[in-house]
Amino acid sequence: MSRTRTSDVLVIGGGIIGLVTAWRAAQRGFTTAVVDPEPGGGAAQVAAGMLAAVTELHYGEQTLLGLNLASARRYPDFAAELTDLTGHDLGYRRCGTLAVALDSDDRAHLRELHALQRRSGLDSEWLSGRECRRLEPMLAPGVRGGLRVDGDHQIDPRRLAGALVAACERAGVVFHRTWAERFDVVRDRAAGVTTANGTELGAGQVVLAAGSLSGRLTGVPDHVLPPVRPVKGQVLRLTVPKRYAPFLSRTVRAVVRGSQVYLVPRESGELVVGATSEELGWDTTVTAGGVYELLRDAHELVPGITELPLTETRAGLRPGSPDNAPLLGPTELDGLLLATGHYRNGVLLTPVTGDAMAHALTTGELPDEARPFTPKRFSAAALTEQPA
Ligand code: GLY
């Protein structure tokens, strides 16, 4: 059986990761197609858009930190290029982030984070509670101290997704607005997909970039099926009336009773409050409990939020991976590449993912900075290798 090639590159999934891959591939001269019923949809429609390489640093994720920082450094040029090309304003805001502590346990936790940031050579300044409130007067009087990280910025992921769709269209990317029903392998090589309406799409190289759905596409051989799972996040959107502005001038976040809460103020007056983190499979129900906990924790941080109109509640699915890092580049199946598993960092990692995937599609190799994120780290052979 052979398959007619409809493009050089076929990207399965039109979220921001699939779109940036398609856009960069088209810029390199590949004829490129994306299969997705709703390009620009997916987790980016829910995400807050924090570019938080420093404040979201976690123990054991130092390798990922390198990639996160590389992508953060690329953001100004990446955003300017997309805006120049499409005329879309991405809401890229170099506003900085303040991570605060509400009690002595939080304070100890933040002190630890600060020490880890300093050991990792990152810019982060410890502030007293009074200094935090001087920066952000809406903070609760009980704030016990915090970390000021001016380098952690934000972007509006919905605008980013819209701009990437426009950039793809301009670059000649073809959109197949349907589901990829089955992934097809011909003679031990990725051949393309069969869509929900029975159309066969063939390509020389296929990129699986379907976010949390990447781990369950029918037809992907088990040994290359990415170990990606959905991790639910509920997110709220409030509106700051003009008479209250500026309500917050930067992203404010905290860990309250062990849960992350963050408030991301946009120039438009939108205030995004996130996010739960729930291992509940494919469930995307917005629950009373999720909304209650987010509002309760956000209210402890910034009591004035209860005055604001609540304009939207939504849940999305992060594509979690076993080590919280993405899976990028060629797999052990010829012609199949992955760009998935970005977990909490999809928006942040968009620029570097586009560059790494374009490099991999062109050369067959990942660039040095992305090599640790090869999907082959989860192959049976790699997982049974004993450390020396
Ligand atoms: N990076 C924020 C989140 O995943 O909730």
Side-chain angles (χ1 to χ4, degrees):
M1 188 176 76
S2 70
R3 157 83 49 124
T4 310
R5 188 184 277 205
T6 45
S7 58
D8 297 329
V9 174
L10 175 65
V11 180
I12 305 170
I16 51 174
I17 295 299
L19 291 170
V20 78
T21 300
W23 176 43
R24 292 304 196 198
Q27 284 182 321
R28 299 269 182 128
F30 293 106
T31 58
T32 304
V34 172
V35 56
D36 191 303
E38 199 191 328
Q45 293 299 317
V46 181
M50 291 176 297
L51 308 175
V54 177
T55 40
E56 287 211 354
L57 176 62
H58 290 87
Y59 282 104
E61 293 185 5
Q62 273 87 345
T63 312
L64 177 58
L65 171 67
L67 194 70
N68 285 345
L69 290 172
S71 208
R73 277 193 294 274
R74 266 167 233 202
Y75 244 103
D77 287 347
F78 174 80
E81 183 184 355
L82 263 179
T83 297
D84 286 350
L85 208 64
T86 64
H88 289 227
D89 172 2
L90 307 186
Y92 179 46
R93 210 175 159 194
R94 294 170 171 80
C95 55
T97 297
L98 186 63
V100 302
L102 289 170
D103 61 27
S104 53
D105 286 349
D106 301 343
R107 197 165 181 276
H109 165 84
L110 266 195
R111 284 281 193 198
E112 290 278 327
L113 176 63
H114 190 218
L116 179 63
Q117 291 166 337
R118 299 287 292 270
R119 281 200 300 281
S120 308
L122 303 171
D123 282 337
S124 165
E125 184 190 356
W126 181 264
L127 300 183
S128 67
R130 183 176 300 212
E131 288 167 325
C132 290
R133 281 192 305 281
R134 204 173 297 137
L135 276 185
E136 294 298 339
M138 296 306 286
L139 279 172
V143 163
R144 304 282 297 267
L147 292 175
R148 174 178 177 166
V149 179
D150 288 345
D152 275 359
H153 303 150
Q154 61 148 306
I155 197 155
D156 184 334
R158 292 176 175 176
R159 292 177 177 221
L160 171 63
L164 284 169
V165 170
C168 282
E169 280 166 349
R170 266 159 223 253
V173 172
V174 173
F175 287 106
H176 300 281
R177 293 173 196 268
T178 178
W179 290 105
E181 191 103 315
R182 194 186 64 231
F183 176 80
D184 299 316
V185 178
V186 176
R187 284 194 286 275
D188 294 330
R189 196 185 158 84
V193 300
T194 303
T195 68
N197 56 20
T199 305
E200 293 188 345
L201 303 174
Q205 302 190 77
V206 182
V207 180
L208 179 50
S212 56
L213 293 165
S214 304
R216 68 168 199 182
L217 178 60
T218 304
V220 179
D222 282 349
H223 71 289
V224 289
L225 194 65
V228 171
R229 67 183 198 287
V231 181
K232 177 178 172 182
Q234 301 190 48
V235 174
L236 318 177
R237 284 175 163 79
L238 295 85
T239 303
V240 179
K242 282 210 167 58
R243 65 182 184 281
Y244 291 152
F247 189 78
L248 293 174
S249 60
R250 72 202 69 223
T251 295
V252 170
R253 55 186 304 154
V255 177
V256 182
R257 286 178 287 273
S259 299
Q260 296 274 352
V261 64
Y262 45 79
L263 290 85
V264 183
R266 305 240 193 271
E267 253 154 19
S268 63
E270 181 177 82
L271 180 68
V272 185
V273 178
T276 65
S277 189
E278 303 164 75
E279 301 272 358
L280 286 175
W282 302 100
D283 174 57
T284 52
T285 316
V286 175
T287 62
V291 174
Y292 164 70
E293 281 167 25
L294 287 172
L295 286 176
R296 180 195 63 196
D297 295 351
H299 173 255
E300 277 190 36
L301 205 56
V302 178
I305 63 147
T306 48
E307 304 294 319
L308 305 180
L310 174 63
T311 38
E312 192 183 319
T313 59
R314 200 141 166 196
L317 298 172
R318 305 174 183 89
S321 76
D323 58 6
N324 300 338
L327 290 81
L328 302 175
T331 65
E332 287 171 337
L333 178 70
D334 281 347
L336 174 65
L337 297 87
L338 299 183
T340 189
H342 291 70
Y343 190 37
R344 294 185 309 262
N345 295 305
V347 179
L348 172 60
L349 289 174
T350 296
V352 82
T353 297
D355 294 345
M357 294 307 294
H359 190 279
L361 287 162
T362 309
T363 66
E365 306 267 339
L366 283 167
D368 286 347
E369 67 199 349
R371 275 211 184 126
F373 306 100
T374 169
K376 295 174 188 169
R377 71 190 188 276
F378 297 119
S379 71
L383 292 173
T384 50
E385 242 169 47
Q386 296 299 317

